[in-house]
Amino acid sequence: MGTILFFQESEWYLINLIKKLWYYGLNFLRKYMWAEDLMDKFMRIYRYQKFDYSFSTTESLLYAMGGDDFTSMLNMTIDEVMQKSGFTKKFIDDMVVPAMRFNYGQGVDVNGFVGAISYAWTDSGLWAVAGGNKLVCSGLLHAAKAQLIQGTVTSVQEKVHSTKPGNTVKLYEISYVTDKGPGLDLYDIVVIATPLNKNLGNIEFVGFDPPIEALYGPYQQMVVTFVHGRINTSYFGCSKPCHFPLSDVLTTYNPKLFIHSISAVSPANPVPESDTSKASGLRVWKIFSPEVLTDEQLHQLFESYDAVKVRNWLAYPRYSPPEKIPPIELHRSIYYVDGIEWAASAIEMCVIAAKNVALLSHHQWYGKNDHIDQQDLAERLKSEL
Ligand SMILES: Cc1cc2nc3c(=O)[nH]c(=O)nc-3n(C[C@H](O)[C@H](O)[C@H](O)COP(=O)(O)OP(=O)(O)OC[C@H]3O[C@@H](n4cnc5c(N)ncnc54)[C@H](O)[C@@H]3O)c2cc1C
């Protein structure tokens, strides 16, 4: 790719089916069965959590979901996993590489687990929250009746406090900064729910042995550029007049390419396109790229544009199997949610990890060890309603 679109989806189901069979034989059927098996195992976690079971490591959580099939994928690339499952190299290069570039800005050398779950979910349809994802957070805070201190945590330190004469208790002192200035509070349990890296989180763990900072791994930069403009279809191999509506273009590996993907953005509640907007061809486009796009590159992608917004992220772990997954328990009663992103970075994974930490911390606090790291849950819960 770079100048040609080598596989274009049609709006017609039958035409798509014939094209897929023609180019890729039975690979898509294989993918369907492979993804079904993966999802069946993945969905087990919701049943375990419904019955309040928790796990003290990400590896034991994955093992409870899918046994060795899941944990072994952390030590292989998605390329190796899919080749072992019988997919052809052409299918992997044409279909899986673009999905990995789109999802993680990386290639098929990412670990097999993140590759598999992100690729298996490519057909399942995406949901959007009208008003923005931030409403999920404010809704949850409201429902939990949580007391929120709106600020930035700067450090965590263990402190020994005397209660009665002769009695001591270990607590964590959290230092933070709010609009009103610095503050500190003492807590029994601390949950870190942001990725930790030297450029992310920026929380100092004071006086811990071994040092918690040693767990940090590198994150992958991803630049997101939103452009309101008219796309240059001929750059994408569709000469003018271009007779099909370009809405998502994914890319295969090509060192000369400066974008990972470009997609038209639609509002959560679609508004009917007016005749004027149809005629003008103006839309909002979202581009993923490894570096900030230059004016020259934007002019290659667009015939014209009138607004550009750029956001640079340290977005996801830079995967490199065999993967070393950070612990969930960073120290006694300090829990880390986002370590699961080293198995697979996705909102759903972090939600599962957050619920796991809530259950685990509760069970450890109350000594309910029969709900931690239990074996054969899939079998044991079969008979439960
Ligand atoms: C560009 C991009 C696209 C993505 N696309 C998808 C997608 O399509 N689907 C998907 O499932 N996932 C996607 N992800 C991944 C997804 O966003 C993450 O997995 C998810 O946001 C992790 O949720 P979290 O709440 O654990 O952490 P975050 O969403 O990172 O939230 C952490 C919060 O902690 C705050 N914080 C950080 N440091 C401190 C501090 N010291 N004190 C106080 N607060 C602090 C941050 O400001 C932030 O609000 C994408 C990520 C990026 C960057």
Side-chain angles (χ1 to χ4, degrees):
M1 156 85 212
T3 49
I4 55 155
L5 288 168
F6 62 82
F7 185 85
Q8 255 169 257
E9 270 198 341
S10 159
E11 287 171 359
W12 301 95
Y13 174 78
L14 202 60
I15 295 181
N16 257 338
L17 189 70
I18 295 167
K19 279 171 84 171
K20 285 176 176 178
L21 275 172
W22 177 258
Y23 284 113
Y24 302 106
L26 294 178
N27 275 278
F28 276 101
L29 179 65
R30 189 183 290 280
K31 182 210 163 183
Y32 174 77
M33 294 188 300
W34 178 78
E36 283 287 302
D37 177 55
L38 202 75
M39 285 192 207
D40 277 354
K41 289 177 177 153
F42 189 94
M43 301 306 269
R44 288 177 183 164
I45 190 64
Y46 297 113
R47 196 159 170 75
Y48 304 159
Q49 293 193 332
K50 189 173 161 220
F51 285 92
D52 291 345
Y53 287 100
S54 64
F55 303 91
S56 63
T57 63
T58 298
E59 288 86 346
S60 63
L61 184 145
L62 296 186
Y63 188 82
M65 290 156 87
D68 283 332
D69 287 352
F70 272 22
T71 48
S72 64
M73 283 198 279
L74 297 173
N75 301 326
M76 299 165 77
T77 64
I78 184 62
D79 192 19
E80 289 163 348
V81 167
M82 293 193 79
Q83 286 200 38
K84 207 173 143 203
S85 301
F87 292 94
T88 61
K89 177 151 177 15
K90 178 171 169 53
F91 181 79
I92 295 171
D93 287 347
D94 291 3
M95 293 292 144
V96 188
V97 170
M100 295 307 119
R101 286 167 63 80
F102 175 73
N103 285 329
Y104 296 106
Q106 295 165 66
V108 281
D109 51 353
V110 299
N111 80 62
F113 185 75
V114 68
I117 63 156
S118 62
Y119 188 59
W121 257 262
T122 47
D123 283 343
S124 59
L126 291 176
W127 292 78
V129 180
N133 290 353
K134 63 180 185 207
L135 294 182
V136 175
C137 304
S138 52
L140 286 172
L141 277 171
H142 181 72
K145 300 190 182 75
Q147 189 208 335
L148 175 70
I149 300 171
Q150 194 113 34
T152 302
V153 173
T154 49
S155 71
V156 180
Q157 187 169 10
E158 195 171 33
K159 293 272 163 143
V160 179
H161 273 254
S162 306
T163 45
K164 288 183 269 176
N167 272 3
T168 56
V169 61
K170 281 185 179 171
L171 295 167
Y172 292 113
E173 184 182 271
I174 307 290
S175 306
Y176 53 84
V177 183
T178 67
D179 288 348
K180 296 185 189 113
L184 35 97
D185 280 311
L186 290 168
Y187 294 93
D188 291 308
I189 296 176
V190 175
V191 177
I192 310 287
T194 186
L196 292 175
N197 175 277
K198 69 175 164 27
N199 299 312
L200 287 166
N202 289 324
I203 300 170
E204 194 189 352
F205 293 88
V206 184
F208 287 92
D209 187 21
I212 288 174
E213 286 78 358
L215 305 166
Y216 302 172
Y219 270 67
Q220 174 76 27
Q221 170 171 284
M222 170 74 96
V223 179
V224 188
T225 309
F226 290 94
V227 178
H228 183 241
R230 191 179 298 111
I231 197 166
N232 177 10
T233 53
S234 47
Y235 179 78
F236 295 95
C238 188
S239 46
K240 282 180 209 120
C242 181
H243 289 299
F244 75 97
L246 278 179
S247 63
D248 293 277
V249 181
L250 306 191
T251 59
T252 54
Y253 177 72
N254 176 341
K256 288 194 199 131
L257 263 186
F258 54 86
I259 63 167
H260 291 314
S261 64
I262 178 165
S263 338
V265 181
S266 331
N269 295 322
V271 279
E273 229 183 333
S274 70
D275 287 344
T276 0
S277 72
K278 251 188 220 165
S280 70
L282 285 171
R283 297 182 81 173
V284 176
W285 295 88
K286 179 176 71 177
I287 304 153
F288 286 152
S289 60
E291 301 294 338
V292 175
L293 299 174
T294 61
D295 286 349
E296 195 196 334
Q297 289 167 335
L298 283 172
H299 281 114
Q300 281 179 268
L301 298 174
F302 292 93
E303 284 177 10
S304 63
Y305 55 89
D306 55 27
V308 178
K309 288 250 182 286
V310 184
R311 184 78 159 83
N312 197 340
W313 304 79
L314 278 179
Y316 330 93
R318 193 177 307 141
Y319 295 110
S320 174
E323 219 69 80
K324 194 167 174 290
I325 314 288
I328 293 175
E329 293 172 80
L330 297 182
H331 195 254
R332 176 197 64 82
S333 299
I334 302 186
Y335 299 91
Y336 181 30
V337 171
D338 289 78
I340 204 165
E341 290 198 295
W342 285 90
S345 168
I347 296 171
E348 190 165 352
M349 293 299 291
C350 289
V351 170
I352 290 169
K355 176 137 189 188
N356 181 58
V357 162
L359 291 168
L360 179 67
S361 56
H362 172 272
H363 299 333
Q364 288 187 333
W365 187 258
Y366 289 104
K368 290 177 72 176
N369 291 336
D370 59 342
H371 274 67
I372 302 172
D373 292 332
Q374 294 298 301
Q375 303 284 319
D376 305 324
L377 284 180
E379 280 304 309
R380 279 162 55 187
L381 294 181
K382 256 185 194 159
S383 53
E384 303 276 347
L385 284 176

